[in-house]
Amino acid sequence: MKCPKCNTENSADSKFCLSCGEPLTRKTIAIGVMPPQQTEEKIVIGKNYEVVKKLGEGGMGVVFHAIHNLSGQEVAIKMLPPELSKDDGIRSRFINEARLLAKLDHPNIVTLYNFLEEDQKFYLIMQFVRGKTLEEYIKERGKLSIDEVVNIFSQVCDALGYAHQMGVVHRDIKPANIMITPDMRVKVMDFGIAKLTGGTRLTATGIAVGTVWYMSPEQIRGAELDARSDLYSLGVTLFEALTGKVPFDSESDYEVRKCHVEVNPPSPLIINNSLPKAAETILLKVLSKNPDDRYQSAQEFKKAIESLRSSPYIITPESQSQIGAQDLAQKSKGRSWIKISSVVAGIVIIGVVIYYFLFYQRIMTSNVSPLRAEQVYIPAGEFIMGSEKGEEDEKPVRKVLLSAFYIDKYEVTNLQYQRCVEARVCGAPQNFLVNKSPSAPVVGVSYNDAKTYCEWVKKRLPTEAEWEKAASQKGVNTDYPWGNDRPDCKRANFVECDLKIKEVGSFLSGASGYGVMDMAGNVAEWVADWYDKNAYLTMNTTNPKGPLTGTYRVIRGGSFKSSSLDLRKSNRMYASPSERLMTVGFRCARSE
Amino acid sequence: MGITLHLERLTQFSLVLRESRMAVYVANMSHTGMVRAVNEDYYGYFHLANYDILVIADGMGGHRGGKIASKIAVDAVREYFETHLKDGRPIESMIDEAFGVANRMIRDFASANPGLYGMGATAICLVVENNKAFYRHLGDCRLYLIRDEKIKRLTKDHTLVQKLLDDGIITLAESFFHPERNIVSKALGGRFYLEFDEPIGFLEMVNGDRLLMCSDGLFDSISDEEILELAKHGDIQNCVQELINEANRRGGNDNITVQILLYAGE
């Protein structure tokens, strides 16, 4: 039967879609008048477990909420990817591991009740836990208070300590695997599942996003793992809970891996300097590259975490600015007065100085002013947008009328952008191993960063139409900014050159008809519009601003890693607005 | 112009003779292997104008996605060359452009079919014009040169393990058993737009050169030296068959696709 979600054809007796795991329900023939909900046949796993709903899916399989039809017991059932059951080696390893996991019995561990094999698929029958994951918790709250952290993490340590004694290494400790019940009890999920499935990610490149954030150095090397690997991963989780950020983050999973192996983690105090000094000491120890330098057992780590509760807070002007009103509200919500009293003194002082400090900061900010950027005037008038020779999303070719505007002659440089970072307005660019020269274009900035910068310099991002007009020859629709000749390394920096970012203005003969530089190649550029491949069909032909909403923002111009085809002035690329890419920078524009 | 012989889809053998008396022979084959239910590899060999174009794509992304992605990849490359060869642009640009189009087509197909999210394909494309060979790979499809009884790997895999190896984080021995050795870092359909990390490959061929391109199903179980032993002599169609048989004898854990081009010179 056909899957309602992805249209995959499945065999008639399939209970779940082979492609996406969606439950496949079959209608039974209704005799007489029956309520509609009874006409659907229930999905039953292992004779007795009736599926209530799908809870989620990931690289390790699909999870369902189900109820035992005799005892009424609620369970979570994890269906492992069907590919796994076909390999005999994996199958026997699975059974061995699952037997071990079924022995784990601890109040802070989600119990594995049973596992079964049906229709050539493996199912794990697990305890059903109501609550939130730590991941959701951190997402909602930004970061957690010391008290919450101590409460949650000491319970996780209890779970890990027990499992490690039983000879089980979790291998995938991360906030998403730590459940917190409404009464603040912790249940660690998915013990050893990573080993069960061989640690293989079955999806294509770049899909397993996020998991590398918590990997230990020895895990990245592919070495044997012991308890201390779990402690490292828990250390990353602790770092995130205390600061709201993981110690190593990058657009590239590989950079994150490399950092885990080679780079010392930043001090958590830099991100959240309201933390006690002891938090830094604990985190730097547990995040040691060498397992011998870490805490050697979960019990030892637990003791260290518990000592945080009694650690003095450091009060600095900067830390005061970071404890916002929201934090304070969160801290007092649901906490006992005794706990609150330890921070009350600090809060009062903060309350007094907070306005002063904000004011002070504003003065500081105004001292760092933007650097001037040369601009080019693009007079009002019509131009031809799109290309008949291009992709479908560049059609139909339209005459578009634009009001006059100014656009930066060059992309925003590292030096210019740095000023905005120093002014504490812009976020730091993602640190890629690229040209850091002050006059090289800044990259590793998201759409949101680019927008923030342009607003800081009292400009805005150019619209897609403005960008394309500025990249054109006056009045003639050419393939490239300089005309129709195909790119060479004198006109533009692209994949056929030496694969390095050049300083802005290095390609004089690549100028557009208006004298705007570097529109093709070197680094691509964020523009203001949302991406929609059908945008040109419906767009306004006077000062178009693109679709009102979307998922991706448009990127123009191609980069030093693009083929000549992507350098065409009408070529449209796109990415998620929060992505910081190694090949994408921006320039600003303003209306006349 | 030359003549091209086409046998059945699964096993092609082509002989191209040119006015200049240069000869290029191509043999190819793809096999599902002994474990997988579907063959997600796809390959193509096209002779257009003065060019011999060889492509292999190895699909990824679940039950249907991989098979579709690899077919889109090969078809897109073929179509691109058929349409644009007459434009007279340099071959090296055209290979990148063809891959760029294939990337976009896979991505668009996936975004129009939510169940196919994450589908992609690793790929290699080789274009031969007279004695010049241009090649570009994405992911872990490989190209080898067999010359003077020696084998040389011309491509460097875009894989996590290769990067870890390059950066000295793991040793060669560790790389063979790394639990994440199946993660590729570059593929068609993997990103919103395609970027290349290295210049396009180029080789001047000499008489008797054999260029062997394959999907990872071949070299996962057979070492480079063993590939050399099986491919350096004799009828190239037999070599292709032998390589695939050997991979299957060793478990055939993955789909296996091999194409060999023999350059017979003047």
Side-chain angles (χ1 to χ4, degrees), chain B residues 112-176:
Chain B
N113 299 273
L116 297 176
Y117 174 76
M119 78 173 187
T122 62
I124 178 146
C125 176
L126 166 71
V127 178
V128 168
E129 180 195 20
N130 300 322
N131 68 335
K132 296 190 188 75
F134 300 90
Y135 53 91
R136 164 75 79 191
H137 76 295
L138 297 161
D140 57 357
C141 286
R142 284 184 186 171
L143 183 68
Y144 292 94
L145 168 67
I146 298 172
R147 177 185 285 177
D148 299 334
E149 310 242 328
K150 287 192 200 86
I151 189 163
K152 187 182 174 195
R153 202 189 297 170
L154 298 177
T155 52
K156 192 182 242 190
D157 298 344
H158 299 128
T159 59
L160 170 65
V161 160
Q162 181 66 48
K163 277 192 186 172
L164 291 170
L165 195 58
D166 288 348
D167 286 347
I169 292 172
I170 57 170
T171 64
L172 186 63
E174 284 170 337
S175 74
F176 294 134

Coordinates of all heavy atoms in Angstrom, one line a residue, chain B residues 112-176:
Chain B
A112 N 10.9 18.2 -3.8 CA 9.5 18.0 -4.3 C 8.9 16.7 -3.8 O 7.7 16.5 -3.8 CB 9.5 18.0 -5.8
N113 N 9.7 15.8 -3.2 CA 9.3 14.5 -2.7 C 9.8 14.3 -1.2 O 10.9 13.8 -1.1 CB 9.8 13.3 -3.5 CG 9.2 13.4 -4.9 OD1 8.2 13.0 -5.2 ND2 10.0 14.1 -5.8
P114 N 9.0 14.8 -0.3 CA 9.6 14.8 1.1 C 10.1 13.5 1.6 O 11.0 13.5 2.4 CB 8.3 15.2 1.9 CG 7.4 15.9 1.0 CD 7.7 15.3 -0.3
G115 N 9.6 12.4 1.1 CA 10.1 11.1 1.6 C 11.5 10.8 1.1 O 12.1 9.9 1.6
L116 N 11.9 11.6 0.2 CA 13.3 11.4 -0.4 C 14.3 12.3 0.2 O 15.4 12.5 -0.3 CB 13.3 11.5 -1.9 CG 12.4 10.5 -2.6 CD1 12.3 10.8 -4.1 CD2 12.9 9.1 -2.3
Y117 N 13.9 13.0 1.3 CA 14.8 14.0 1.9 C 16.1 13.3 2.2 O 16.2 12.2 2.8 CB 14.2 14.5 3.2 CG 15.1 15.4 4.0 CD1 15.4 16.7 3.5 CD2 15.8 14.9 5.1 CE1 16.3 17.5 4.2 CE2 16.7 15.7 5.8 CZ 16.9 17.0 5.3 OH 17.8 17.8 6.0
G118 N 17.2 14.0 1.9 CA 18.5 13.4 2.2 C 19.1 12.6 1.2 O 20.2 12.0 1.3
M119 N 18.4 12.4 0.0 CA 19.0 11.5 -1.0 C 20.2 12.3 -1.7 O 20.2 13.5 -1.7 CB 18.0 11.1 -2.0 CG 17.6 12.1 -3.0 SD 16.5 11.3 -4.3 CE 16.4 12.6 -5.5
G120 N 21.1 11.5 -2.2 CA 22.3 12.1 -2.8 C 23.1 11.0 -3.5 O 22.6 9.9 -3.5
A121 N 24.2 11.4 -4.1 CA 25.0 10.4 -4.8 C 26.4 10.9 -4.8 O 26.7 12.0 -5.1 CB 24.5 10.2 -6.2
T122 N 27.3 9.9 -4.5 CA 28.7 10.2 -4.8 C 28.9 9.9 -6.3 O 28.2 9.2 -6.9 CB 29.7 9.3 -4.0 OG1 29.4 8.0 -4.3 CG2 29.4 9.5 -2.5
A123 N 29.9 10.5 -6.9 CA 30.0 10.4 -8.3 C 31.4 10.6 -8.8 O 32.3 11.2 -8.1 CB 29.1 11.3 -9.0
I124 N 31.7 10.1 -10.0 CA 32.9 10.4 -10.7 C 32.6 10.5 -12.2 O 31.8 9.8 -12.7 CB 34.1 9.4 -10.4 CG1 35.3 9.7 -11.2 CG2 33.6 7.9 -10.8 CD1 36.6 9.4 -10.6
C125 N 33.3 11.5 -12.8 CA 33.1 11.7 -14.2 C 34.5 11.8 -14.9 O 35.3 12.5 -14.4 CB 32.3 13.0 -14.5 SG 32.1 13.4 -16.2
L126 N 34.6 11.1 -16.0 CA 35.9 11.1 -16.7 C 35.6 11.4 -18.1 O 34.7 10.8 -18.7 CB 36.6 9.7 -16.6 CG 37.7 9.4 -17.6 CD1 39.0 10.2 -17.2 CD2 38.0 7.9 -17.6
V127 N 36.3 12.4 -18.7 CA 36.1 12.8 -20.1 C 37.4 12.7 -20.8 O 38.4 13.2 -20.4 CB 35.5 14.2 -20.2 CG1 35.4 14.5 -21.7 CG2 34.2 14.3 -19.5
V128 N 37.4 11.9 -21.9 CA 38.7 11.7 -22.6 C 38.5 12.3 -24.0 O 37.5 12.1 -24.7 CB 38.9 10.2 -22.7 CG1 40.0 9.9 -23.7 CG2 39.3 9.6 -21.3
E129 N 39.5 13.1 -24.3 CA 39.6 13.7 -25.7 C 41.0 13.4 -26.2 O 42.0 13.9 -25.6 CB 39.3 15.2 -25.6 CG 39.4 15.8 -27.0 CD 39.5 17.4 -26.8 OE1 39.9 17.8 -25.8 OE2 39.2 18.0 -27.8
N130 N 41.1 12.6 -27.3 CA 42.5 12.2 -27.7 C 43.2 11.6 -26.6 O 42.8 10.7 -25.9 CB 43.2 13.3 -28.4 CG 42.4 13.9 -29.6 OD1 41.8 13.1 -30.3 ND2 42.4 15.2 -29.8
N131 N 44.4 12.2 -26.3 CA 45.2 11.6 -25.2 C 45.0 12.3 -23.8 O 45.7 12.1 -22.9 CB 46.7 11.5 -25.5 CG 47.3 12.9 -25.6 OD1 46.6 13.9 -25.9 ND2 48.6 13.0 -25.4
K132 N 44.0 13.2 -23.8 CA 43.8 14.0 -22.6 C 42.6 13.4 -21.8 O 41.6 13.2 -22.4 CB 43.5 15.5 -23.0 CG 44.6 16.2 -23.6 CD 44.3 17.7 -23.7 CE 45.2 18.5 -24.5 NZ 45.0 18.2 -26.0
A133 N 42.9 13.3 -20.5 CA 41.8 12.8 -19.7 C 41.5 13.8 -18.6 O 42.5 14.3 -17.9 CB 42.2 11.5 -19.1
F134 N 40.3 14.2 -18.4 CA 39.9 15.2 -17.4 C 38.9 14.4 -16.4 O 38.1 13.6 -16.9 CB 39.1 16.4 -17.9 CG 39.9 17.2 -18.9 CD1 39.9 16.9 -20.3 CD2 40.7 18.2 -18.4 CE1 40.6 17.7 -21.1 CE2 41.4 19.0 -19.3 CZ 41.4 18.7 -20.7
Y135 N 39.1 14.6 -15.1 CA 38.2 13.9 -14.2 C 37.9 14.8 -13.0 O 38.6 15.6 -12.6 CB 38.8 12.6 -13.8 CG 40.2 12.7 -13.3 CD1 40.4 12.8 -11.9 CD2 41.3 12.6 -14.1 CE1 41.7 13.0 -11.4 CE2 42.6 12.7 -13.6 CZ 42.8 12.9 -12.2 OH 44.0 13.0 -11.7
R136 N 36.7 14.5 -12.4 CA 36.3 15.1 -11.2 C 35.5 14.1 -10.4 O 34.7 13.4 -11.0 CB 35.4 16.3 -11.6 CG 34.5 16.9 -10.5 CD 35.3 17.8 -9.5 NE 35.6 19.1 -10.0 CZ 36.5 19.9 -9.4 NH1 37.1 19.5 -8.3 NH2 36.7 21.1 -9.8
H137 N 35.7 14.1 -9.1 CA 34.9 13.1 -8.3 C 34.4 13.9 -7.1 O 34.9 14.9 -6.7 CB 35.8 12.0 -7.8 CG 36.7 12.4 -6.7 ND1 37.7 13.3 -6.8 CD2 36.8 12.0 -5.4 CE1 38.4 13.5 -5.7 NE2 37.8 12.7 -4.8
L138 N 33.3 13.3 -6.6 CA 32.7 13.8 -5.4 C 32.4 12.7 -4.5 O 31.7 11.7 -4.9 CB 31.4 14.6 -5.7 CG 31.5 15.8 -6.6 CD1 30.1 16.1 -7.2 CD2 32.0 17.0 -5.8
G139 N 32.9 12.7 -3.2 CA 32.7 11.5 -2.4 C 33.7 10.5 -2.5 O 34.9 10.7 -2.8
D140 N 33.3 9.2 -2.5 CA 34.3 8.1 -2.5 C 34.2 7.2 -3.7 O 34.6 6.1 -3.7 CB 34.2 7.3 -1.2 CG 32.8 6.7 -1.0 OD1 31.9 7.0 -1.8 OD2 32.6 6.0 0.0
C141 N 33.8 7.7 -4.8 CA 34.0 7.0 -6.1 C 35.4 7.4 -6.5 O 35.9 8.5 -6.4 CB 33.0 7.5 -7.2 SG 31.4 6.9 -7.0
R142 N 36.1 6.4 -7.0 CA 37.6 6.6 -7.3 C 37.9 6.4 -8.8 O 37.3 5.7 -9.5 CB 38.4 5.6 -6.5 CG 38.5 5.9 -5.0 CD 39.4 4.9 -4.3 NE 39.3 5.1 -2.9 CZ 39.9 4.3 -2.0 NH1 40.5 3.2 -2.4 NH2 39.9 4.6 -0.7
L143 N 39.1 7.0 -9.1 CA 39.7 6.7 -10.4 C 41.2 6.3 -10.2 O 41.9 6.9 -9.4 CB 39.7 8.0 -11.2 CG 40.2 7.9 -12.6 CD1 39.3 7.0 -13.5 CD2 40.4 9.2 -13.3
Y144 N 41.5 5.2 -10.8 CA 42.9 4.7 -10.7 C 43.5 4.7 -12.1 O 42.8 4.6 -13.1 CB 42.9 3.2 -10.3 CG 42.5 2.9 -8.9 CD1 41.1 2.6 -8.6 CD2 43.4 3.0 -7.8 CE1 40.7 2.3 -7.3 CE2 43.0 2.7 -6.5 CZ 41.7 2.3 -6.3 OH 41.3 2.1 -5.0
L145 N 44.8 4.9 -12.1 CA 45.6 4.8 -13.4 C 46.5 3.6 -13.3 O 47.2 3.4 -12.3 CB 46.5 6.0 -13.6 CG 47.5 5.9 -14.7 CD1 46.9 5.8 -16.1 CD2 48.5 7.1 -14.6
I146 N 46.4 2.7 -14.3 CA 47.3 1.5 -14.3 C 48.2 1.7 -15.5 O 47.8 1.8 -16.6 CB 46.5 0.2 -14.5 CG1 45.6 0.0 -13.2 CG2 47.4 -1.0 -14.6 CD1 44.6 -1.1 -13.4
R147 N 49.5 1.9 -15.1 CA 50.5 2.2 -16.2 C 51.8 1.5 -15.8 O 52.2 1.5 -14.6 CB 50.7 3.7 -16.2 CG 51.8 4.1 -17.2 CD 52.0 5.7 -17.2 NE 51.0 6.4 -17.8 CZ 51.0 7.8 -17.8 NH1 51.9 8.5 -17.2 NH2 50.0 8.4 -18.4
D148 N 52.4 0.9 -16.7 CA 53.7 0.2 -16.4 C 53.6 -0.8 -15.3 O 54.4 -0.8 -14.4 CB 54.8 1.2 -16.1 CG 55.1 2.1 -17.3 OD1 54.8 1.7 -18.4 OD2 55.5 3.3 -17.1
E149 N 52.5 -1.5 -15.2 CA 52.3 -2.5 -14.2 C 52.3 -1.9 -12.8 O 52.5 -2.6 -11.8 CB 53.5 -3.6 -14.2 CG 53.7 -4.2 -15.6 CD 53.5 -5.7 -15.6 OE1 53.7 -6.3 -14.6 OE2 53.0 -6.2 -16.6
K150 N 52.0 -0.6 -12.7 CA 51.8 0.0 -11.4 C 50.4 0.6 -11.3 O 49.8 1.0 -12.4 CB 52.8 1.1 -11.2 CG 54.2 0.6 -10.9 CD 55.1 1.8 -10.5 CE 56.6 1.5 -10.7 NZ 57.1 1.8 -12.0
I151 N 49.9 0.8 -10.1 CA 48.6 1.4 -10.0 C 48.8 2.7 -9.1 O 49.5 2.7 -8.2 CB 47.6 0.4 -9.3 CG1 46.2 1.0 -9.4 CG2 48.0 0.1 -7.9 CD1 45.1 0.0 -9.1
K152 N 48.0 3.7 -9.6 CA 48.1 5.0 -8.8 C 46.7 5.5 -8.6 O 45.9 5.5 -9.6 CB 48.9 6.0 -9.6 CG 49.1 7.3 -8.9 CD 49.9 8.3 -9.8 CE 50.0 9.6 -9.1 NZ 50.4 10.7 -10.0
R153 N 46.3 5.8 -7.4 CA 45.0 6.4 -7.2 C 45.0 7.9 -7.5 O 45.8 8.6 -7.0 CB 44.7 6.2 -5.7 CG 43.2 6.2 -5.5 CD 42.9 6.3 -4.0 NE 43.3 5.1 -3.2 CZ 43.3 5.0 -1.9 NH1 42.9 6.1 -1.2 NH2 43.8 4.0 -1.3
L154 N 44.2 8.3 -8.5 CA 44.2 9.7 -8.9 C 43.3 10.6 -8.1 O 43.4 11.8 -8.2 CB 43.8 9.7 -10.4 CG 44.7 9.0 -11.4 CD1 44.2 9.1 -12.8 CD2 46.1 9.5 -11.3
T155 N 42.4 10.0 -7.4 CA 41.4 10.8 -6.6 C 41.6 10.5 -5.2 O 42.1 9.5 -4.8 CB 40.0 10.4 -7.0 OG1 39.8 9.0 -6.9 CG2 39.6 10.8 -8.4
K156 N 41.3 11.5 -4.4 CA 41.4 11.4 -2.9 C 40.0 11.4 -2.4 O 39.3 12.4 -2.6 CB 42.2 12.5 -2.4 CG 42.6 12.3 -0.9 CD 43.4 13.5 -0.4 CE 44.8 13.1 0.0 NZ 45.5 14.2 0.6
D157 N 39.5 10.4 -1.7 CA 38.1 10.3 -1.2 C 37.7 11.6 -0.4 O 38.5 12.0 0.4 CB 37.9 9.1 -0.3 CG 38.2 7.8 -1.0 OD1 38.2 7.8 -2.3 OD2 38.4 6.8 -0.4
H158 N 36.5 12.0 -0.7 CA 36.0 13.0 0.2 C 35.2 12.3 1.3 O 34.0 12.2 1.3 CB 35.0 13.9 -0.6 CG 35.7 14.7 -1.7 ND1 35.2 14.7 -3.0 CD2 36.8 15.5 -1.7 CE1 36.0 15.4 -3.7 NE2 36.9 15.9 -3.0
T159 N 36.0 11.8 2.3 CA 35.3 11.1 3.4 C 35.9 11.6 4.7 O 37.0 12.2 4.7 CB 35.6 9.6 3.3 OG1 37.0 9.4 3.4 CG2 35.0 9.0 2.1
L160 N 35.1 11.4 5.7 CA 35.6 11.8 7.1 C 36.9 11.2 7.4 O 37.8 11.8 7.9 CB 34.5 11.4 8.1 CG 34.9 11.5 9.5 CD1 35.1 13.0 9.9 CD2 33.8 10.9 10.4
V161 N 37.0 9.8 7.1 CA 38.2 9.1 7.5 C 39.4 9.6 6.8 O 40.5 9.8 7.3 CB 38.0 7.6 7.3 CG1 39.3 6.9 7.2 CG2 37.1 7.0 8.4
Q162 N 39.2 10.0 5.5 CA 40.4 10.5 4.7 C 40.8 11.8 5.3 O 42.0 12.1 5.4 CB 39.9 10.7 3.3 CG 41.0 11.3 2.4 CD 42.2 10.3 2.2 OE1 41.9 9.1 1.9 NE2 43.4 10.7 2.4
K163 N 39.9 12.7 5.8 CA 40.3 14.0 6.4 C 41.0 13.7 7.7 O 42.0 14.4 8.0 CB 39.0 14.8 6.6 CG 38.5 15.6 5.5 CD 37.5 16.6 6.0 CE 36.8 17.3 4.8 NZ 35.7 18.1 5.3
L164 N 40.5 12.8 8.5 CA 41.1 12.5 9.8 C 42.6 12.0 9.5 O 43.5 12.4 10.2 CB 40.3 11.5 10.5 CG 39.0 11.9 11.1 CD1 38.2 10.7 11.6 CD2 39.1 12.9 12.2
L165 N 42.7 11.2 8.5 CA 44.0 10.7 8.1 C 44.9 11.8 7.6 O 46.1 11.9 8.1 CB 43.8 9.7 7.0 CG 44.9 8.7 6.6 CD1 45.3 7.9 7.8 CD2 44.4 7.8 5.5
D166 N 44.4 12.7 6.8 CA 45.2 13.8 6.3 C 45.7 14.7 7.4 O 46.8 15.3 7.4 CB 44.4 14.7 5.3 CG 44.2 14.0 4.0 OD1 44.9 13.0 3.7 OD2 43.3 14.4 3.2
D167 N 44.8 14.9 8.4 CA 45.2 15.8 9.5 C 46.0 15.1 10.6 O 46.2 15.7 11.6 CB 43.9 16.4 10.1 CG 43.3 17.5 9.2 OD1 44.0 17.9 8.2 OD2 42.1 17.9 9.4
G168 N 46.3 13.9 10.3 CA 47.2 13.2 11.3 C 46.4 12.8 12.6 O 47.0 12.5 13.6
I169 N 45.1 12.8 12.5 CA 44.4 12.5 13.8 C 44.3 11.0 13.9 O 44.3 10.5 15.0 CB 42.9 13.1 13.7 CG1 43.1 14.7 13.8 CG2 42.0 12.6 14.8 CD1 41.8 15.4 13.5
I170 N 44.2 10.3 12.8 CA 44.3 8.8 12.9 C 45.4 8.2 12.0 O 45.8 9.0 11.1 CB 42.9 8.1 12.5 CG1 42.5 8.6 11.1 CG2 41.8 8.5 13.5 CD1 41.3 7.8 10.5
T171 N 45.7 7.0 12.2 CA 46.7 6.4 11.4 C 46.0 5.6 10.2 O 44.8 5.4 10.3 CB 47.6 5.4 12.2 OG1 46.7 4.3 12.6 CG2 48.2 6.0 13.4
L172 N 46.8 5.2 9.2 CA 46.3 4.4 8.1 C 45.6 3.2 8.6 O 44.5 2.8 8.2 CB 47.4 4.1 7.1 CG 46.9 3.4 5.8 CD1 46.0 4.4 5.0 CD2 48.1 3.0 5.0
A173 N 46.3 2.5 9.6 CA 45.7 1.2 10.1 C 44.4 1.5 10.8 O 43.4 0.8 10.7 CB 46.7 0.6 11.1
E174 N 44.3 2.6 11.6 CA 43.1 2.9 12.3 C 42.0 3.3 11.3 O 40.8 3.0 11.5 CB 43.3 4.2 13.2 CG 44.1 3.8 14.4 CD 44.5 5.1 15.3 OE1 44.6 6.2 14.7 OE2 44.7 4.9 16.4
S175 N 42.4 3.8 10.1 CA 41.3 4.2 9.1 C 40.6 3.0 8.6 O 39.4 3.1 8.3 CB 42.0 5.0 8.0 OG 42.7 4.1 7.1
F176 N 41.2 1.9 8.5 CA 40.5 0.7 7.9 C 39.4 0.2 8.8 O 38.4 -0.4 8.3 CB 41.5 -0.5 7.7 CG 42.6 -0.1 6.7 CD1 43.9 -0.4 6.9 CD2 42.2 0.4 5.5 CE1 44.9 -0.1 6.0 CE2 43.1 0.7 4.5 CZ 44.5 0.5 4.8

